[in-house]
Amino acid sequence: MEVKIKINRKSVDSMTRQLTDQLRDLIGNGKLAVGSLLPSERTLANSLGVARNVVRGSYEYLEKGGFVQREGRKGRRVRAKTAKRKGAGKAIKKTAKKR
């Protein structure tokens, strides 16, 4: 799989943001098909010439956004779009027991 991603080191946006936006666009346009395996953090970081933390942060943003899913040591795959449940984005408040 050939992924066309460019990182501009002189950009106002962080490298993590640039990578996240470009991957999100590739997923949205269908260039990264549902179920396709994303490159490993190390492989993508080496090919782009960035630190592995940049790729890790980007992948975490995409996971939280529901664009990719982690499959343990197998890696990360592009996730199918799912309908959002009512109240799924709200934080659950826990109440402490009073003694």
Side-chain angles (χ1 to χ4, degrees), residues 33-99:
V34 171
S36 63
L37 190 63
L38 294 176
S40 70
E41 291 174 4
R42 188 170 310 219
T43 302
L44 188 56
N46 288 338
S47 68
L48 295 175
V50 298
R52 202 166 135 205
N53 286 338
V54 171
V55 177
R56 181 179 296 139
S58 178
Y59 281 179
E60 287 175 358
Y61 282 128
L62 292 170
E63 283 178 45
K64 289 177 184 176
F67 291 94
V68 299
Q69 64 185 15
R70 181 180 227 151
E71 294 185 352
R73 299 190 80 187
K74 292 180 183 178
R76 293 174 176 90
R77 292 192 182 272
V78 176
R79 185 177 181 174
K81 289 186 179 181
T82 57
K84 291 188 177 182
R85 294 177 294 157
K86 187 176 180 181
K90 295 181 182 177
I92 300 171
K93 294 183 180 178
K94 295 183 180 181
T95 57
K97 292 182 180 179
K98 294 182 180 179
R99 291 184 178 170

Side-chain angles (χ1 to χ4, degrees), residues 13-24:
D13 293 331
S14 70
M15 289 187 281
T16 303
R17 172 59 56 202
Q18 291 177 54
L19 181 58
T20 303
D21 291 344
Q22 290 181 52
L23 286 171
R24 189 180 303 129

